[in-house]
Amino acid sequence: MPKGLIHSKNDNVCILTNDVKKGEEVICAYLENPSEYVIIKSSEDIPLGHKIALSDIKSGEKVIKYGRPIGIATKDIFAGNHVHVHNIKSMRWSKK
Amino acid sequence: MSTIKGYVRENGSVGIRNHVLILPLDDLSNSASIGVSKLVRGTTVIPHPYGRLQFGRDLDLFFHILSGIGSNPNVDSVIVIGIEENWANKVADEIVKTGKHVEVFPIEGNGDLKTIEKASRKALGMVQDASEKHRTEVDISSIVMSIKCGESDTTSGLASNPAVGVVVDRMIDHGATVMFGETSELTGAEDIVADKMANDKLKEKFMNIFKEYDSIIEREGVDLLGSQPTQGNIKGGLSTIEEKALGNIQKLGHRKVNCVLDYLDPLEKAKDGGTLCFVNTSSAAAEAVTLFAAKGSVVHLFTTGQGNIVGNPIIPVIKITANPKTSSQMTEHIDVDVSDLLDLKISLEEAGERIYQYMLRVMSGRLTKAEVLQHDEFSPIKLYISA
Protein backbone atom coordinates (compact mmCIF):
# COMPACT_ATOMS: atom_id res chain seq x y z
CA MET A 1 0.00 0.00 0.00
CA PRO A 2 1.35 3.49 -0.82
CA LYS A 3 2.48 5.57 2.15
CA GLY A 4 2.59 8.73 0.10
CA LEU A 5 0.78 10.47 -2.76
CA ILE A 6 2.04 12.73 -5.54
CA HIS A 7 -0.33 15.35 -6.94
CA SER A 8 1.09 15.77 -10.41
CA LYS A 9 3.54 14.18 -12.85
CA ASN A 10 6.21 16.92 -12.64
CA ASP A 11 6.17 17.27 -8.85
CA ASN A 12 9.47 16.87 -7.01
CA VAL A 13 7.81 16.20 -3.65
CA CYS A 14 5.49 13.48 -2.32
CA ILE A 15 2.95 13.96 0.53
CA LEU A 16 3.20 11.28 3.21
CA THR A 17 -0.14 9.73 4.14
CA ASN A 18 1.44 7.85 7.06
CA ASP A 19 4.21 8.56 9.57
CA VAL A 20 7.50 7.38 8.09
CA LYS A 21 10.69 6.27 9.87
CA LYS A 22 14.29 7.03 8.90
CA GLY A 23 15.60 4.49 6.41
CA GLU A 24 12.12 3.34 5.41
CA GLU A 25 11.41 2.72 1.73
CA VAL A 26 8.24 4.64 0.89
CA ILE A 27 5.90 3.87 -1.99
CA CYS A 28 4.59 7.17 -3.40
CA ALA A 29 1.68 6.75 -5.83
CA TYR A 30 0.56 9.31 -8.41
CA LEU A 31 -2.94 10.66 -7.68
CA GLU A 32 -3.63 10.97 -11.39
CA ASN A 33 -2.96 7.25 -11.87
CA PRO A 34 -2.41 5.39 -8.57
CA SER A 35 -1.11 2.23 -10.28
CA GLU A 36 2.02 4.26 -11.09
CA TYR A 37 4.40 4.91 -8.22
CA VAL A 38 7.97 5.64 -7.21
CA ILE A 39 9.90 4.24 -4.26
CA ILE A 40 11.98 6.66 -2.21
CA LYS A 41 14.16 5.93 0.84
CA SER A 42 13.49 8.35 3.68
CA SER A 43 16.62 9.91 5.21
CA GLU A 44 14.79 10.93 8.42
CA ASP A 45 11.60 10.47 10.46
CA ILE A 46 8.82 12.41 8.70
CA PRO A 47 5.21 12.77 9.98
CA LEU A 48 1.97 12.23 8.07
CA GLY A 49 1.07 15.22 5.91
CA HIS A 50 4.66 16.37 5.45
CA LYS A 51 6.64 16.31 2.21
CA ILE A 52 9.53 14.09 1.14
CA ALA A 53 11.80 15.08 -1.78
CA LEU A 54 11.52 12.75 -4.77
CA SER A 55 14.74 14.07 -6.32
CA ASP A 56 17.63 16.38 -5.45
CA ILE A 57 16.56 20.06 -5.36
CA LYS A 58 19.44 22.56 -5.32
CA SER A 59 19.35 25.74 -3.24
CA GLY A 60 17.44 28.39 -5.24
CA GLU A 61 15.55 25.82 -7.29
CA LYS A 62 11.77 25.57 -7.24
CA VAL A 63 9.82 23.04 -5.23
CA ILE A 64 6.99 21.71 -7.40
CA LYS A 65 3.63 20.42 -6.12
CA TYR A 66 0.28 20.34 -8.00
CA GLY A 67 2.57 20.81 -11.03
CA ARG A 68 3.22 24.38 -9.80
CA PRO A 69 6.03 26.06 -7.85
CA ILE A 70 5.08 26.31 -4.17
CA GLY A 71 8.36 27.90 -3.06
CA ILE A 72 12.14 28.00 -3.44
CA ALA A 73 14.70 25.76 -1.75
CA THR A 74 16.77 27.77 0.75
CA LYS A 75 19.44 25.05 0.93
CA ASP A 76 20.35 21.95 -1.02
CA ILE A 77 17.69 19.27 -0.55
CA PHE A 78 18.48 15.63 -1.37
CA ALA A 79 16.08 12.91 -2.49
CA GLY A 80 14.53 11.37 0.63
CA ASN A 81 14.88 14.56 2.73
CA HIS A 82 12.05 16.15 4.68
CA VAL A 83 10.91 19.26 2.72
CA HIS A 84 9.43 21.97 4.94
CA VAL A 85 9.87 25.51 6.31
CA HIS A 86 13.47 24.74 7.33
CA ASN A 87 14.57 24.32 3.72
CA ILE A 88 11.99 26.07 1.48
CA LYS A 89 10.37 29.51 1.49
CA SER A 90 7.46 31.25 -0.21
CA MET A 91 7.99 33.44 -3.25
CA ARG A 92 5.41 35.91 -1.83
CA TRP A 93 5.30 38.21 1.18
CA SER A 94 8.70 36.91 2.27
CA LYS A 95 11.05 39.53 3.69
CA LYS A 96 14.12 37.30 3.90
CA MET B 1 -32.76 16.01 -8.35
CA SER B 2 -32.60 15.99 -4.55
CA THR B 3 -35.05 17.45 -2.06
CA ILE B 4 -34.68 18.46 1.58
CA LYS B 5 -37.10 19.47 4.30
CA GLY B 6 -36.76 23.19 4.91
CA TYR B 7 -38.62 26.27 6.07
CA VAL B 8 -40.01 28.39 3.23
CA ARG B 9 -39.96 32.06 4.30
CA GLU B 10 -42.34 34.87 3.35
CA ASN B 11 -39.99 36.09 0.60
CA GLY B 12 -39.58 32.59 -0.86
CA SER B 13 -36.11 31.94 0.51
CA VAL B 14 -35.46 28.55 2.12
CA GLY B 15 -34.02 28.08 5.60
CA ILE B 16 -32.96 24.89 7.34
CA ARG B 17 -33.16 26.19 10.92
CA ASN B 18 -35.86 28.21 12.67
CA HIS B 19 -34.20 30.71 15.00
CA VAL B 20 -35.85 33.41 17.05
CA LEU B 21 -32.93 35.80 17.08
CA ILE B 22 -32.03 38.24 19.87
CA LEU B 23 -29.70 40.67 18.08
CA PRO B 24 -27.69 43.23 20.07
CA LEU B 25 -27.00 46.26 17.89
CA ASP B 26 -23.88 47.14 19.89
CA ASP B 27 -21.56 45.88 22.61
CA LEU B 28 -23.50 47.74 25.32
CA SER B 29 -26.64 45.79 24.48
CA ASN B 30 -25.13 42.34 24.97
CA SER B 31 -26.15 42.05 28.64
CA ALA B 32 -29.83 42.83 28.03
CA SER B 33 -29.87 40.52 25.00
CA ILE B 34 -28.34 37.67 26.98
CA GLY B 35 -30.86 38.45 29.73
CA VAL B 36 -33.75 37.87 27.32
CA SER B 37 -32.20 34.65 26.03
CA LYS B 38 -31.91 33.32 29.59
CA LEU B 39 -35.55 34.06 30.36
CA VAL B 40 -37.01 32.80 27.11
CA ARG B 41 -36.21 29.24 26.04
CA GLY B 42 -35.76 28.71 22.31
CA THR B 43 -34.13 32.04 21.49
CA THR B 44 -30.71 32.48 19.89
CA VAL B 45 -28.56 35.38 21.08
CA ILE B 46 -25.44 36.59 19.27
CA PRO B 47 -23.30 38.91 21.42
CA HIS B 48 -20.44 40.79 19.71
CA PRO B 49 -17.97 43.58 20.60
CA TYR B 50 -18.84 46.22 17.94
CA GLY B 51 -21.39 48.84 16.92
CA ARG B 52 -20.05 51.99 18.57
CA LEU B 53 -18.20 54.83 16.81
CA GLN B 54 -17.63 52.95 13.60
CA PHE B 55 -17.67 55.01 10.42
CA GLY B 56 -17.52 54.95 6.64
CA ARG B 57 -17.14 51.65 4.82
CA ASP B 58 -16.50 49.84 8.10
CA LEU B 59 -19.84 51.04 9.50
CA ASP B 60 -21.62 50.11 6.27
CA LEU B 61 -20.13 46.61 6.49
CA PHE B 62 -21.22 46.33 10.13
CA PHE B 63 -24.84 47.19 9.22
CA HIS B 64 -24.64 44.88 6.20
CA ILE B 65 -23.60 41.98 8.46
CA LEU B 66 -26.18 42.58 11.23
CA SER B 67 -29.02 43.14 8.74
CA GLY B 68 -27.90 40.13 6.74
CA ILE B 69 -27.79 37.87 9.78
CA GLY B 70 -31.30 38.97 10.80
CA SER B 71 -32.53 38.46 7.22
CA ASN B 72 -30.97 34.99 6.90
CA PRO B 73 -33.55 32.34 5.89
CA ASN B 74 -32.59 30.28 8.97
CA VAL B 75 -34.12 33.05 11.11
CA ASP B 76 -37.87 33.15 11.78
CA SER B 77 -38.17 36.41 13.72
CA VAL B 78 -35.89 38.99 15.33
CA ILE B 79 -35.61 41.20 18.39
CA VAL B 80 -33.08 44.03 17.99
CA ILE B 81 -31.80 45.60 21.21
CA GLY B 82 -29.66 48.76 20.99
CA ILE B 83 -28.44 51.43 23.38
CA GLU B 84 -30.13 54.04 21.16
CA GLU B 85 -33.05 53.70 18.82
CA ASN B 86 -31.83 55.11 15.49
CA TRP B 87 -29.15 52.61 14.64
CA ALA B 88 -31.25 49.72 15.95
CA ASN B 89 -34.08 50.83 13.66
CA LYS B 90 -31.71 51.03 10.71
CA VAL B 91 -30.95 47.31 11.03
CA ALA B 92 -34.55 46.38 11.84
CA ASP B 93 -35.87 48.25 8.76
CA GLU B 94 -33.66 46.14 6.50
CA ILE B 95 -34.76 42.86 8.12
CA VAL B 96 -38.47 43.79 7.92
CA LYS B 97 -38.17 43.88 4.10
CA THR B 98 -37.87 40.06 4.17
CA GLY B 99 -41.34 39.81 5.73
CA LYS B 100 -40.05 38.62 9.11
CA HIS B 101 -41.54 39.76 12.42
CA VAL B 102 -39.03 42.26 13.90
CA GLU B 103 -39.22 44.26 17.15
CA VAL B 104 -36.82 46.96 18.38
CA PHE B 105 -36.03 47.79 22.03
CA PRO B 106 -33.83 50.80 22.92
CA ILE B 107 -32.08 50.79 26.29
CA GLU B 108 -31.63 54.59 26.70
CA GLY B 109 -34.43 55.91 28.89
CA ASN B 110 -35.40 52.40 29.98
CA GLY B 111 -32.41 50.63 31.47
CA ASP B 112 -31.55 46.95 31.13
CA LEU B 113 -34.26 45.50 33.38
CA LYS B 114 -37.23 47.22 31.77
CA THR B 115 -35.78 46.42 28.32
CA ILE B 116 -35.34 42.77 29.24
CA GLU B 117 -38.91 42.57 30.51
CA LYS B 118 -40.47 44.19 27.43
CA ALA B 119 -38.30 42.27 24.97
CA SER B 120 -38.90 38.97 26.77
CA ARG B 121 -42.69 39.38 26.55
CA LYS B 122 -42.35 39.80 22.76
CA ALA B 123 -39.81 36.98 22.48
CA LEU B 124 -42.18 34.61 24.28
CA GLY B 125 -44.81 35.06 21.58
CA MET B 126 -42.22 34.81 18.81
CA VAL B 127 -40.97 31.46 20.09
CA GLN B 128 -44.52 30.13 20.25
CA ASP B 129 -45.20 31.34 16.70
CA ALA B 130 -41.93 29.87 15.44
CA SER B 131 -42.81 26.52 16.99
CA GLU B 132 -45.74 26.24 14.60
CA LYS B 133 -43.66 26.75 11.47
CA HIS B 134 -43.09 23.40 9.83
CA ARG B 135 -40.59 21.93 7.42
CA THR B 136 -41.83 21.21 3.93
CA GLU B 137 -40.22 19.39 1.05
CA VAL B 138 -38.24 21.79 -1.12
CA ASP B 139 -35.92 21.38 -4.06
CA ILE B 140 -32.21 21.64 -3.31
CA SER B 141 -31.87 24.28 -6.03
CA SER B 142 -33.25 26.85 -3.57
CA ILE B 143 -30.34 26.32 -1.17
CA VAL B 144 -27.62 28.92 -0.66
CA MET B 145 -24.51 27.45 0.94
CA SER B 146 -20.87 28.32 1.57
CA ILE B 147 -17.50 26.58 1.80
CA LYS B 148 -14.27 27.32 3.63
CA CYS B 149 -11.39 25.37 5.16
CA GLY B 150 -9.49 25.96 8.38
CA GLU B 151 -6.51 24.54 10.27
CA SER B 152 -5.77 23.00 6.89
CA ASP B 153 -2.94 20.63 6.23
CA THR B 154 -1.77 18.73 3.18
CA THR B 155 -4.59 16.17 3.58
CA SER B 156 -7.03 19.03 2.83
CA GLY B 157 -5.57 19.60 -0.62
CA LEU B 158 -5.19 15.86 -1.24
CA ALA B 159 -8.62 14.66 -0.24
CA SER B 160 -11.19 16.64 1.78
CA ASN B 161 -11.10 19.76 -0.42
CA PRO B 162 -11.41 17.95 -3.77
CA ALA B 163 -14.23 15.87 -2.22
CA VAL B 164 -16.05 19.12 -1.36
CA GLY B 165 -15.36 20.17 -4.96
CA VAL B 166 -17.43 17.18 -6.08
CA VAL B 167 -20.32 18.44 -3.90
CA VAL B 168 -19.94 21.99 -5.24
CA ASP B 169 -20.15 20.76 -8.85
CA ARG B 170 -23.28 18.81 -8.01
CA MET B 171 -24.95 21.72 -6.20
CA ILE B 172 -24.21 24.10 -9.09
CA ASP B 173 -25.57 21.55 -11.58
CA HIS B 174 -28.75 21.35 -9.48
CA GLY B 175 -29.11 25.14 -9.73
CA ALA B 176 -28.11 25.93 -6.14
CA THR B 177 -25.84 28.76 -4.96
CA VAL B 178 -22.37 28.25 -3.45
CA MET B 179 -20.16 30.97 -1.97
CA PHE B 180 -16.41 30.82 -1.33
CA GLY B 181 -13.90 33.45 -0.19
CA GLU B 182 -10.64 33.56 1.80
CA THR B 183 -9.04 36.31 -0.29
CA SER B 184 -5.55 36.28 1.25
CA GLU B 185 -5.47 32.52 1.09
CA LEU B 186 -5.71 32.48 -2.70
CA THR B 187 -2.21 33.94 -2.97
CA GLY B 188 -0.19 31.78 -5.33
CA ALA B 189 -3.32 30.44 -7.02
CA GLU B 190 -5.06 33.74 -7.79
CA ASP B 191 -4.40 33.29 -11.52
CA ILE B 192 -6.20 29.92 -11.47
CA VAL B 193 -9.22 31.48 -9.73
CA ALA B 194 -9.15 34.41 -12.18
CA ASP B 195 -9.21 31.91 -15.06
CA LYS B 196 -12.33 30.31 -13.58
CA MET B 197 -14.28 33.55 -13.94
CA ALA B 198 -17.17 33.40 -16.40
CA ASN B 199 -16.23 36.69 -18.11
CA ASP B 200 -13.58 39.42 -18.21
CA LYS B 201 -15.59 41.85 -16.12
CA LEU B 202 -15.77 39.39 -13.22
CA LYS B 203 -12.10 38.56 -13.69
CA GLU B 204 -11.16 42.24 -13.38
CA LYS B 205 -13.35 42.74 -10.31
CA PHE B 206 -11.83 39.67 -8.66
CA MET B 207 -8.25 40.73 -9.40
CA ASN B 208 -8.90 44.24 -8.06
CA ILE B 209 -10.21 42.78 -4.80
CA PHE B 210 -7.25 40.42 -4.60
CA LYS B 211 -4.72 43.19 -5.27
CA GLU B 212 -6.31 45.39 -2.60
CA TYR B 213 -5.71 42.64 -0.02
CA ASP B 214 -2.19 42.03 -1.29
CA SER B 215 -1.38 45.75 -1.04
CA ILE B 216 -2.46 45.84 2.62
CA ILE B 217 -0.04 43.02 3.39
CA GLU B 218 2.73 44.73 1.36
CA ARG B 219 2.04 48.08 3.07
CA GLU B 220 2.41 46.53 6.52
CA GLY B 221 5.77 45.15 5.40
CA VAL B 222 5.25 41.81 7.10
CA ASP B 223 6.37 38.27 6.46
CA LEU B 224 3.16 36.36 7.07
CA LEU B 225 4.81 32.99 7.76
CA GLY B 226 3.19 31.76 10.98
CA SER B 227 -0.02 33.66 10.23
CA GLN B 228 -0.52 32.62 6.63
CA PRO B 229 0.18 29.69 6.62
CA THR B 230 -0.79 29.47 10.30
CA GLN B 231 1.20 27.62 12.96
CA GLY B 232 -1.35 24.79 12.70
CA ASN B 233 -0.99 24.66 8.92
CA ILE B 234 2.80 24.41 9.28
CA LYS B 235 2.49 21.66 11.89
CA GLY B 236 0.35 19.76 9.38
CA GLY B 237 3.01 20.00 6.68
CA LEU B 238 2.04 23.12 4.72
CA SER B 239 5.21 25.12 4.05
CA THR B 240 4.15 28.18 2.05
CA ILE B 241 1.13 30.32 1.17
CA GLU B 242 1.33 29.04 -2.43
CA GLU B 243 1.01 25.44 -1.25
CA LYS B 244 -1.90 26.36 1.02
CA ALA B 245 -3.68 28.26 -1.77
CA LEU B 246 -3.31 25.44 -4.28
CA GLY B 247 -4.85 23.08 -1.73
CA ASN B 248 -7.59 25.57 -0.85
CA ILE B 249 -8.87 25.95 -4.42
CA GLN B 250 -9.42 22.19 -4.76
CA LYS B 251 -12.77 22.93 -3.03
CA LEU B 252 -14.03 25.03 -5.92
CA GLY B 253 -14.83 22.15 -8.24
CA HIS B 254 -14.93 22.56 -12.00
CA ARG B 255 -17.70 25.05 -12.77
CA LYS B 256 -17.27 28.68 -13.81
CA VAL B 257 -17.42 31.41 -11.17
CA ASN B 258 -20.31 33.61 -12.31
CA CYS B 259 -20.52 36.04 -9.40
CA VAL B 260 -17.96 38.18 -7.54
CA LEU B 261 -19.02 40.03 -4.40
CA ASP B 262 -17.08 42.69 -2.55
CA TYR B 263 -17.81 43.15 1.16
CA LEU B 264 -20.97 45.21 0.69
CA ASP B 265 -22.41 43.63 -2.45
CA PRO B 266 -25.68 41.72 -1.98
CA LEU B 267 -25.90 38.19 -3.33
CA GLU B 268 -27.27 38.00 -6.85
CA LYS B 269 -28.23 34.58 -8.14
CA ALA B 270 -27.79 33.68 -11.80
CA LYS B 271 -31.04 33.94 -13.77
CA ASP B 272 -30.88 30.31 -14.76
CA GLY B 273 -28.62 27.56 -13.52
CA GLY B 274 -26.42 27.55 -10.46
CA THR B 275 -24.41 30.38 -8.97
CA LEU B 276 -20.78 30.02 -7.86
CA CYS B 277 -19.78 33.16 -6.03
CA PHE B 278 -16.45 34.54 -4.87
CA VAL B 279 -16.98 36.69 -1.76
CA ASN B 280 -14.25 39.02 -0.51
CA THR B 281 -13.61 37.77 3.06
CA SER B 282 -10.77 37.49 5.49
CA SER B 283 -9.49 33.94 5.84
CA ALA B 284 -10.24 33.83 9.58
CA ALA B 285 -12.81 31.07 10.09
CA ALA B 286 -15.42 32.82 12.26
CA GLU B 287 -15.23 36.08 10.27
CA ALA B 288 -15.64 34.36 6.92
CA VAL B 289 -18.52 32.08 8.01
CA THR B 290 -20.26 35.09 9.62
CA LEU B 291 -20.04 37.09 6.37
CA PHE B 292 -21.30 34.13 4.32
CA ALA B 293 -24.26 33.81 6.70
CA ALA B 294 -24.93 37.55 6.39
CA LYS B 295 -25.05 37.14 2.61
CA GLY B 296 -27.65 34.38 2.92
CA SER B 297 -25.79 31.09 3.26
CA VAL B 298 -27.88 28.59 5.27
CA VAL B 299 -25.30 25.79 5.60
CA HIS B 300 -21.52 25.66 5.52
CA LEU B 301 -19.12 22.89 4.51
CA PHE B 302 -15.88 23.27 6.49
CA THR B 303 -12.89 21.09 5.75
CA THR B 304 -10.10 20.81 8.28
CA GLY B 305 -6.79 19.00 8.51
CA GLN B 306 -5.42 19.65 11.98
CA GLY B 307 -8.87 20.24 13.51
CA ASN B 308 -10.62 23.63 13.39
CA ILE B 309 -13.70 23.58 15.63
CA VAL B 310 -15.52 26.75 14.50
CA GLY B 311 -19.32 26.98 14.41
CA ASN B 312 -21.91 29.68 13.82
CA PRO B 313 -25.03 30.60 15.81
CA ILE B 314 -27.43 30.60 12.86
CA ILE B 315 -25.98 28.32 10.20
CA PRO B 316 -24.87 24.72 10.72
CA VAL B 317 -21.16 24.19 10.03
CA ILE B 318 -20.38 20.67 8.83
CA LYS B 319 -16.82 19.56 9.64
CA ILE B 320 -15.04 17.31 7.19
CA THR B 321 -11.55 15.86 7.55
CA ALA B 322 -9.30 13.52 5.61
CA ASN B 323 -6.68 13.38 8.37
CA PRO B 324 -7.11 10.05 10.20
CA LYS B 325 -5.32 11.34 13.32
CA THR B 326 -7.61 14.37 13.60
CA SER B 327 -10.66 12.23 13.00
CA SER B 328 -9.79 9.92 15.90
CA GLN B 329 -8.35 12.55 18.27
CA MET B 330 -11.12 15.13 17.77
CA THR B 331 -14.08 12.88 17.07
CA GLU B 332 -16.54 15.20 18.83
CA HIS B 333 -15.88 17.86 16.18
CA ILE B 334 -15.77 15.86 12.95
CA ASP B 335 -19.05 15.20 11.12
CA VAL B 336 -17.69 13.48 8.02
CA ASP B 337 -14.46 11.47 7.78
CA VAL B 338 -13.08 10.96 4.26
CA SER B 339 -9.62 9.73 5.33
CA ASP B 340 -10.23 6.50 3.37
CA LEU B 341 -9.30 8.60 0.36
CA LEU B 342 -5.69 8.84 1.54
CA ASP B 343 -5.38 5.05 1.39
CA LEU B 344 -7.18 5.05 -1.98
CA LYS B 345 -9.88 2.79 -0.45
CA ILE B 346 -12.67 4.96 -1.89
CA SER B 347 -12.91 7.14 -4.97
CA LEU B 348 -13.16 10.92 -4.91
CA GLU B 349 -16.71 10.56 -6.24
CA GLU B 350 -17.60 8.27 -3.30
CA ALA B 351 -16.10 10.75 -0.81
CA GLY B 352 -18.17 13.54 -2.38
CA GLU B 353 -21.30 11.39 -2.15
CA ARG B 354 -20.59 10.75 1.55
CA ILE B 355 -20.42 14.49 2.23
CA TYR B 356 -23.45 15.25 0.05
CA GLN B 357 -25.68 12.67 1.77
CA TYR B 358 -24.64 13.96 5.19
CA MET B 359 -25.36 17.52 4.11
CA LEU B 360 -28.88 16.52 3.01
CA ARG B 361 -29.53 15.12 6.49
CA VAL B 362 -28.26 18.30 8.17
CA MET B 363 -30.40 20.41 5.85
CA SER B 364 -33.44 18.38 6.85
CA GLY B 365 -32.82 18.84 10.56
CA ARG B 366 -29.96 16.71 11.87
CA LEU B 367 -27.77 18.83 14.17
CA THR B 368 -24.05 19.16 13.44
CA LYS B 369 -21.50 18.50 16.15
CA ALA B 370 -20.66 22.22 16.28
CA GLU B 371 -24.33 22.99 16.92
CA VAL B 372 -24.60 20.40 19.70
CA LEU B 373 -21.37 21.63 21.32
CA GLN B 374 -22.70 25.23 21.19
CA HIS B 375 -20.01 26.58 18.89
CA ASP B 376 -21.73 29.90 18.31
CA GLU B 377 -18.82 31.96 16.97
CA PHE B 378 -20.20 35.19 15.56
CA SER B 379 -17.53 37.59 14.38
CA PRO B 380 -18.26 40.59 12.14
CA ILE B 381 -15.29 41.59 9.96
CA LYS B 382 -13.89 44.97 11.02
CA LEU B 383 -12.03 46.91 8.34
CA TYR B 384 -10.25 49.54 10.44
CA ILE B 385 -10.09 51.30 13.82
CA SER B 386 -13.15 53.05 15.28
CA ALA B 387 -13.49 56.82 15.58
Side-chain angles (χ1 to χ4, degrees), chain A residues 49-51 65 68 70 91, chain B residues 154 188 235 237 239-240 242-243:
Chain A
H50 286 237
K51 295 176 286 297
K65 185 182 163 187
R68 301 247 310 192
I70 59 161
M91 296 176 289
Chain B
T154 53
K235 189 169 169 241
S239 311
T240 65
E242 294 96 322
E243 182 180 15

Side-chain angles (χ1 to χ4, degrees), chain B residues 55-69:
Chain B
F55 63 97
R57 195 175 168 221
D58 185 55
L59 179 63
D60 292 341
L61 179 58
F62 175 74
F63 281 129
H64 177 76
I65 290 172
L66 286 204
S67 309
I69 289 292

Side-chain angles (χ1 to χ4, degrees), chain A residues 1-2 5 7 15-19 29 31 34 47-51 65-66 68-71 83-85 88-96, chain B residues 154-155 157-158 184 187-192 214 217 221-224 228 234-243 246-247 250 325 342-344:
Chain A
M1 199 179 71
L5 293 168
H7 279 279
I15 319 308
L16 298 179
T17 52
N18 292 267
D19 292 336
L31 263 184
L48 184 160
H50 286 237
K51 295 176 286 297
K65 185 182 163 187
Y66 297 97
R68 301 247 310 192
I70 59 161
V83 178
H84 202 24
V85 288
I88 75 168
K89 66 167 188 174
S90 167
M91 296 176 289
R92 308 285 185 96
W93 299 342
S94 195
K95 297 289 122 187
K96 287 174 205 135
Chain B
T154 53
T155 67
L158 270 177
S184 72
T187 304
E190 73 272 23
D191 57 319
I192 300 177
D214 213 39
I217 295 162
V222 288
D223 182 342
L224 253 57
Q228 204 43 307
I234 292 168
K235 189 169 169 241
L238 290 171
S239 311
T240 65
I241 185 62
E242 294 96 322
E243 182 180 15
L246 291 164
Q250 305 299 314
K325 287 183 188 170
L342 290 190
D343 299 329
L344 306 171

